[in-house]
Amino acid sequence: MVRYLYIHIPFCLKKCIYCDFYSVSDSIPLIDAYVEALCKEIDMRGDHISVPEAIYIGGGTPSLLKRKHFAKIIGKLNGEWRTSREMEITSEANPGTLSYRRIKAMLESGINRISIGVQSLNDNELRLLGRMHDASEAARALRDARRGGFQNISVDLIYAIPGQNSGGWKRTLDEIVRFRPQHLSTYELTPEKNTLLHEHLEKGTLCMPEEDTIAEMYYSAIDILEACGYAQYEISNFALPGYECRHNLNYWNRGEYIGLGAGAHSFRNGMRSANVGDVESYINEINEDRLPVTEAMALTAEDTVKELLFLGLRKKEGIELREMPAEVAEKMKETLGNLARQGLIESSENIITLTRKGLLLCNEVIVRLMLCIEHSRPA
Ligand code: SF4
């Protein structure tokens, strides 16, 4: 039985220039019907779910939901499994759509953790990213979340923004820690294909900061946040003691979860699957009593090992070689030795962790380990 639920709210008022998530702005009138469909999907999947450990409402922009929507979704889950304060129930929120009333509505519905997409406290950077809020609205959202009663607040930040320098990034970090959120995620801006950001970079109308500057930004996040009492528990994630995100840890630990809503992904019984992405098709499928699953893939033994590597190595605690089949651990020995000599990994008692240098070059480490598994595959 699955104890982790993800609920996708795929609506945004405006598309940010770097975003390749599934989100739509023209289907907002469908929110009522969408929430109805979500509740029906909870019923349809109920046999595979037991009392949840963590529920995560992500998007898109969940803070576009009204009081009645939060009450309906959490009320439905509560009716089935009795939600409690001990569960981690998170909702993402966008400062541009987060009024004090909405914060109170979230809390009253049972949501006990809020993840606020601040991204930057510099107005020029926020404008460039295409965010709909400015720095003062982000600060107000943080103050309101605290004043409203949230005791578990997470903040998302982005660095390596075109035009940003190390000093500007450090100012955002210094300002954000004054709000004392319990949790922080700091993501490097990556230009994904089919985004406006990618287009600008191709045309040369924007350019990314130099690699050395990006490295300096990454390390300054670790140093500033650790000096303020935040422990880094994953490449991009930091928490005060006891506030690590249970939902994310389950994902990196390859725990099972069920994703509800348009475009949501699930992992159960060794299968990864995805719901149909289009909002209208999702609602129609559910209303026709069909599970809206469009993709399902059973993982092979090799897929599983690769996932153990690329999800597990992201965590500060690393991976245990014992979790790998013996023949795979044997194949990786030489590459692991090389990576250790280059100062990218450390290994002790069969546990492999990334060094400070390895954290920055995590993708390279993972690719080299994957290649060594693939190259030693029997022809
Ligand atoms: S608010 Fe989030 S999901 Fe919506 S467009 Fe911006 S980055 Fe994408």
Side-chain angles (χ1 to χ4, degrees):
M1 296 290 259
V2 180
R3 303 194 61 200
Y4 291 81
L5 299 182
Y6 173 81
I7 298 174
H8 193 59
I9 307 296
F11 307 99
C12 287
L13 289 182
K14 167 174 185 270
K15 197 81 182 165
C16 304
I17 70 161
Y18 56 91
C19 180
D20 73 337
F21 298 144
Y22 175 63
S23 70
V24 286
S25 53
D26 51 359
S27 309
I28 287 176
L30 294 177
I31 290 185
D32 283 352
Y34 184 78
V35 170
E36 286 290 336
L38 274 176
C39 291
K40 200 164 166 200
E41 194 184 0
I42 293 170
D43 278 334
M44 292 163 88
R45 300 212 191 234
D47 287 350
H48 303 303
I49 302 170
S50 75
V51 183
E53 176 74 26
I55 299 165
Y56 193 100
I57 306 178
T61 308
S63 48
L64 279 175
L65 297 183
K66 296 187 175 138
R67 174 183 290 271
K68 63 176 182 180
H69 300 130
F70 285 116
K72 187 151 192 139
I73 296 169
I74 305 295
K76 175 74 189 164
L77 294 167
N78 191 24
E80 301 288 327
W81 298 283
R82 287 217 73 68
T83 55
S84 71
R85 283 158 177 252
E86 284 67 47
M87 292 176 188
E88 178 187 274
I89 310 180
T90 306
S91 176
E92 291 180 349
N94 182 331
T97 56
L98 193 61
S99 63
Y100 187 69
R101 279 181 59 191
R102 202 145 294 182
I103 286 169
K104 288 305 265 184
M106 285 180 175
L107 279 159
E108 282 159 20
S109 72
I111 290 164
N112 54 22
R113 182 174 185 273
I114 189 166
S115 174
I116 304 180
V118 171
Q119 315 311 358
S120 167
L121 287 176
N122 176 304
D123 284 343
N124 290 335
E125 290 168 7
L126 288 166
R127 248 193 312 275
L128 184 143
L129 292 173
R131 300 292 304 189
M132 52 179 293
H133 65 276
D134 62 19
S136 66
E137 282 171 306
R140 181 198 43 76
L142 284 163
R143 278 193 298 271
D144 282 355
R146 187 69 80 208
R147 181 166 66 97
F150 271 108
Q151 290 169 15
N152 192 350
I153 299 175
S154 180
V155 166
D156 279 0
L157 295 177
I158 292 178
Y159 65 96
I161 300 169
Q164 188 182 43
N165 59 30
S166 217
W169 169 235
K170 284 183 195 160
R171 267 193 299 284
T172 287
L173 288 167
D174 286 338
E175 281 174 45
I176 212 76
V177 291
R178 289 199 206 118
F179 292 96
R180 210 63 189 150
Q182 278 68 24
H183 186 278
L184 279 142
S185 304
T186 59
Y187 297 113
E188 180 181 333
L189 183 63
T190 29
E192 306 289 351
K193 285 226 165 85
N194 303 321
T195 61
L196 208 52
L197 172 64
H198 193 267
E199 230 177 277
H200 277 298
L201 295 169
E202 292 280 290
K203 282 194 221 146
T205 42
L206 287 177
C207 65
M208 300 299 284
E210 298 290 328
E211 270 186 26
D212 287 354
T213 310
I214 297 177
E216 195 186 331
M217 289 181 187
Y218 180 65
Y219 287 134
S220 59
I222 297 177
D223 296 339
I224 291 174
L225 296 178
E226 288 193 342
C228 293
Y230 294 91
Q232 184 182 22
Y233 68 103
E234 192 263 355
I235 292 184
S236 313
N237 283 274
F238 302 82
L240 294 178
Y243 287 97
E244 296 82 7
C245 176
R246 287 187 233 165
H247 166 82
N248 285 351
L249 277 172
N250 178 61
Y251 178 71
W252 297 316
N253 287 329
R254 297 190 68 252
E256 296 192 326
Y257 58 91
I258 286 181
L260 304 155
H265 289 241
S266 301
F267 177 46
R268 196 174 75 83
N269 283 345
M271 299 266 293
R272 295 218 174 257
S273 60
N275 279 357
V276 59
D278 175 67
V279 169
E280 276 185 57
S281 311
Y282 169 78
I283 296 172
N284 291 340
E285 286 293 292
I286 293 278
N287 287 343
E288 301 272 325
D289 293 319
R290 283 191 295 268
L291 267 185
V293 175
T294 49
E295 292 164 36
M297 186 183 83
L299 299 185
T300 63
E302 187 174 309
D303 294 334
T304 304
V305 168
K306 287 182 171 175
E307 286 197 3
L308 278 168
L309 280 173
F310 76 75
L311 294 174
L313 265 180
R314 298 184 64 91
K315 291 179 296 167
K316 243 342 224 331
E317 66 181 37
I319 49 168
E320 280 201 52
L321 268 188
R322 260 193 300 270
E323 287 183 56
M324 304 276 164
E327 69 280 8
V328 174
E330 187 56 36
K331 283 175 196 168
M332 293 196 308
K333 241 184 188 163
E334 193 185 329
T335 308
L336 287 172
N338 291 337
L339 291 168
R341 273 188 291 283
Q342 288 159 5
L344 293 166
I345 60 161
E346 272 164 0
S347 97
S348 149
E349 295 182 14
N350 266 326
I351 294 178
I352 310 290
T353 51
L354 295 171
T355 59
R356 187 171 160 96
K357 182 175 167 193
L359 284 168
L360 182 71
L361 300 174
C362 173
N363 287 342
E364 184 189 325
V365 172
I366 289 168
V367 166
R368 281 170 63 182
L369 287 170
M370 296 236 186
L371 283 176
C372 99
I373 294 172
E374 282 172 14
H375 288 160
S376 48
R377 186 196 294 153

